[in-house]
Amino acid sequence: MRMNSAVAAACGVVALTALAVPAAHADEQFGDTEITGVVVNDGDPVVVGTGARTVTVEVTATDPSGLEQISARLYHGSFGAPDSSVAPAATCGPTAATTTTCTLTFTLTPGTVPATSSLAGGWSVSAYAIAPDSDAVFRDNAASFTLQRATDVTVATSPKPVKWGRTLTVTGGVTNANWATGTSVGAEAGLPATLEFRPRGSSTYCTVKTVQTASDGTLSTTVRAYTDGYYRWSYAGTTTTSAALSPAAFVNVVG
């Protein structure tokens, strides 16, 4: 049930307790308390692998009388009925400052939150701030961010060394974190990965060709070898998987 403004003004501390469940409110404001900014992970996508990951969220709030409490919650799905959510390790406050930025810490644990890889993609942040005079603001969608499965890319070349002008085979693979099992699995078929080459003595990679992943996430192609240098795979990622580079494989061209 929503609190109306009269109840909010009268309840004070009771309102603080009620706010432990942000879903009880939806975009309400009482008085002059404002949330002026919410930033997740410095604005970058949140990438989660097979182990626990800590994420910070900065909530900036203002009120002429200071701030009693500031907090937020990460959730996936709808605000009223999320299919996954996580609360911070602790809230912020109280502070006499009229404007403050609260840094909240969240722990994402694969298999729990997020429980499965289907939860990758767009997530939201609900946030609230309460002032000592019982003014308050609630935002059910104060910010959004992208949660991605971590990616690993490998590379290998054959033969070593390779004769000048002969065919060089470059292989590798793309794997993504599986949150339900806590392991990495081959990427789906048809995802593009770019083969890049850097000649010995140069600091710049150039694009050789683009190859699509096989059904098990593996990569394979052939090139003609004319000079010593380094080969690597570059994977751009998707909305649900992070971008990644393989290590560089040095190729020695002889004769």
Side-chain angles (χ1 to χ4, degrees), residues 5-32:
S5 57
V7 173
C11 288
V13 175
V14 175
L16 292 176
T17 303
L19 288 177
V21 184
H25 307 275
D27 277 1
E28 294 180 309
Q29 184 172 5
F30 314 114
D32 47 17

Side-chain angles (χ1 to χ4, degrees), residues 153-166:
V153 185
T154 59
V155 65
T157 60
S158 179
K160 290 183 177 180
V162 59
K163 291 185 177 182
W164 186 91
R166 296 292 179 87

Side-chain angles (χ1 to χ4, degrees), residues 185-249:
V185 296
E188 62 184 272
L191 297 177
T194 301
L195 179 64
E196 299 178 338
F197 176 71
R198 174 171 65 88
R200 186 210 289 265
S202 171
S203 60
T204 303
Y205 278 92
C206 60
T207 297
V208 178
K209 62 173 68 175
T210 298
V211 177
Q212 293 187 333
T213 52
S215 59
D216 58 355
T218 56
L219 299 162
S220 182
T221 192
T222 59
V223 296
R224 294 286 184 178
Y226 295 105
T227 187
D228 294 351
Y230 301 83
Y231 289 87
R232 72 180 185 185
W233 292 106
S234 175
Y235 173 71
T238 67
T239 56
T240 59
T241 60
S242 66
L245 288 171
S246 75

Side-chain angles (χ1 to χ4, degrees), residues 45 55 120 135 139 143 156 166:
V55 180
D135 287 351
R139 294 288 179 254
R166 296 292 179 87

